[in-house]
Each structure stands twice: as structure tokens, then as C-alpha cells.
Amino acid sequence: MTTSDRLAGAWRSAHAPVAGVPRWARVAAYLIPFTVLPSGLWRLPVAFRDGIGFDGRVYVVCLSIVAELIAFTAVGLVAGWGERFPRWIPWLGGRRVPTPAALIPATLGATVLTVLWTAAFARIFAGVTMRGTPLPPDFPTQGGAWEARIFYACYLPLLLWGPLLAAVAYAYHRRRRGRYDT
């Protein structure tokens, strides 16, 4: 067995859904990182435009990576590492994850994400920034039709992030409380 086979096997076993996870919750949890990915891919070329300094480039790249990592934590709500801390974590490894330790951040995150992206798109559709000023002429939706279409294709999936996370958090809550009918 090669190293890549061992890594692939470890990855699959670490991220396999635990018993009692409804299929819809598993699909929703795995879908969440893919709702964030298009916006990150949209931002990466922006980081390397002329006029963007080194600090700006690092910020945009890190923003894309961190957003994707945060989105990936939703998988923990259906995988074993959302119920038991991985063994490699000092002092916590192998212990049960307290339900509130996963549920509170997930619920708060779902609420904030839903409000944030709904408000952002309501403002964009109204033609104003979050501060209420008109969108600048170089904003993607103000440019050509193809640029606006690509922008919306990359950013509209973010509207699903909060509601999907809320649904997965609810399934996690029900399963961890032992009241979920599968």
C-alpha cells in the first residue's frame, strides 16, 4: 500500500459520516464548501492585478483560504471528528466533543452568514454599497453583462451557506440529543 493510498484511506475514514446522519444532512454538509469555493476562485485573480500591493495580495489569498477552511468545518457536524476530538489534539484527543461546543458556533455562524449575505445582495441589487453609497463604476455588476453574470455565478451560492449550515446544525442537534428519526 502506497503512502497516497494510506492518506486517502485516512481521509475517507476521518470524514465518513457517523451513524444516524440523515442523507440530506450529509449532502448539505459536503455542499457547503462548494458554495464558498466559487467566490474564492473569483477573488484570486484580483489579488494579482496591477495596483494591488503585497499586503493586499496576502489578504485576498488568505481570505479565500480561511473562508474555505471555515466552510469545511461544517463537515465536522456529520463526521466523527465533530463528535470526538481527533487523537492528535493535545489534552482533548479522543474525548467527546460537547454538543454546545459545536452547536453554538454553527448556529451563530449560520445566523450571521444568512443576515450578512442577504443584506449584501439586497444592497447590490439596489445598486448601493453596504454604507449606502452608489456602487462604483468598476464594481463587477456595473461593468459588462458577462462580467456581471460571472460575478453572480460566483457569489450567489454564498446565499446558501447560512441556511445549509443551519440545517446541518439542526440535524447535529437532533442526532446528538438522540431524538432524530433516520
Side-chain angles (χ1 to χ4, degrees):
M1 182 178 277
T2 67
T3 302
S4 63
D5 290 340
R6 283 193 298 272
L7 286 174
W11 178 268
R12 277 192 300 277
S13 68
H15 298 91
V18 295
V21 173
R23 182 171 169 17
W24 65 264
R26 184 177 64 241
V27 169
Y30 293 153
L31 186 61
I32 289 172
F34 291 106
T35 65
V36 178
L37 184 61
S39 63
L41 294 175
W42 167 273
R43 278 189 302 270
L44 289 178
V46 171
F48 299 99
R49 282 188 184 163
D50 290 338
I52 303 287
F54 179 75
D55 290 349
R57 290 174 192 206
V58 169
Y59 171 76
V60 170
V61 170
C62 288
L63 175 64
S64 296
I65 292 169
V66 169
E68 197 61 40
L69 290 173
I70 290 170
F72 187 74
T73 62
V75 175
L77 297 172
V78 299
W81 52 273
E83 294 192 7
R84 292 219 173 267
F85 289 105
R87 296 229 175 258
W88 56 266
I89 297 178
W91 302 290
L92 297 174
R95 292 186 185 186
R96 187 173 169 90
V97 173
T99 301
L103 198 56
I104 290 171
T107 304
L108 288 174
T111 303
V112 168
L113 290 166
T114 301
V115 170
L116 171 76
W117 290 114
T118 302
F121 275 100
R123 295 292 189 140
I124 290 170
F125 292 142
V128 296
T129 66
M130 292 300 275
R131 292 188 176 124
T133 59
L135 290 174
D138 64 343
F139 194 78
T141 60
Q142 305 302 96
W146 69 269
E147 192 174 23
R149 285 187 186 114
I150 293 172
F151 172 81
Y152 286 126
C154 290
Y155 275 87
L156 280 174
L158 290 172
L159 287 169
L160 298 174
W161 189 2
L164 286 172
L165 182 57
V168 176
Y170 177 72
Y172 180 86
H173 166 72
R174 294 291 304 261
R175 187 179 75 256
R176 293 293 300 268
R177 298 286 182 208
R179 289 181 269 149
Y180 203 92
D181 299 322
T182 55

